[in-house]
Amino acid sequence: MHVLITAGPTYEPLDPVRFIGNHSTGKMGYALAEAFAAEGAEVTLVSGPTSLPDPADARITTQRVQTADEMYAAAAAVAPAADIWVFAAAVADYKPRQMAENKIKKDGDTLTLELVKNVDIAGTLGHTKRPEQYSVGFALETNNEQAYALDKLRRKNFDLVVLNSLRDAGAGFRHDTNKVTLLEAGGQMTIFELKPKVAVARDIVETVLARYSHHA
Ligand code: CTP
């Protein structure tokens, strides 16, 4: 079994010394890579910039990227041959229209940046998914959580979406714990307790492998 995982943030360069990014640490994606590998899967971990070391497990191949475009290229190269896709990355939604060749100088009192939408990695690959492949996405919501998460599941052709609600204390960015709800295309919903991200990863992997074995 081959699993593709995207993880971490993306950095979108403004000029040679600056970028637009976010606070994703990559912990959830890396924990998922370890948990799939522990079950015997071959894992390709496409990771944005993180402070985490490459996982030591020989079953995990880590590919480092910076931008959403690079993450898409690396994921698209692996996706056709992967059985399971897990999109755990916090991809920057927008990037600067162009990267300045030289450092931007502080000439004026205001600075206007023009941003353009980044490629939707999960959504674009979702349209290429074969019936036997299984796709997992993440949704981070503050309100209307389940409706928004299910909308994401449909739009991006996920089989399962991992919902993090920011209403739950200790969940999401900058925490070592997470509290997730799994929502599936078939309508099932599983609510888990707050627990360490490593244990959350095991719960997700257990559910995904159980569903995958009965899939298509
Ligand atoms: N995703 C992706 N490529 C993007 C954006 C998101 O692959 N350019 C994936 C994420 O890895 C995650 C899911 O899509 O699995 C999140 O969906 P998204 O629509 O980005 O969620 P939000 O950022 O919460 O979107 P919205 O602003 O619509 O709520």
Side-chain angles (χ1 to χ4, degrees), residues 6-8 10 68 71-72 86-94 117-125 136-141 148 151-152 155-156 158 160-162:
T6 68
T10 66
M71 185 174 277
Y72 174 70
V86 181
F87 298 99
V91 182
D93 289 322
Y94 294 88
K117 206 167 223 159
N118 260 327
V119 56
D120 182 342
I121 300 168
T124 307
L125 291 177
V136 179
F138 279 73
L140 187 69
E141 309 289 353
Y148 283 141
D151 180 57
K152 230 156 257 179
R155 274 190 290 121
K156 304 197 188 209
F158 294 138
L160 183 151
V161 64
V162 181

Side-chain angles (χ1 to χ4, degrees), residues 156-169:
K156 304 197 188 209
N157 205 15
F158 294 138
D159 296 283
L160 183 151
V161 64
V162 181
L163 168 63
N164 290 291
S165 170
L166 284 186
R167 290 195 210 182
D168 295 314

Side-chain angles (χ1 to χ4, degrees), residues 134 150 153 159-161 182-188 190 207 211:
Y134 193 92
L150 285 173
L153 179 138
D159 296 283
L160 183 151
V161 64
L182 306 188
L183 298 166
E184 298 176 54
Q188 304 96 308
T190 316
T207 305
R211 297 297 186 268

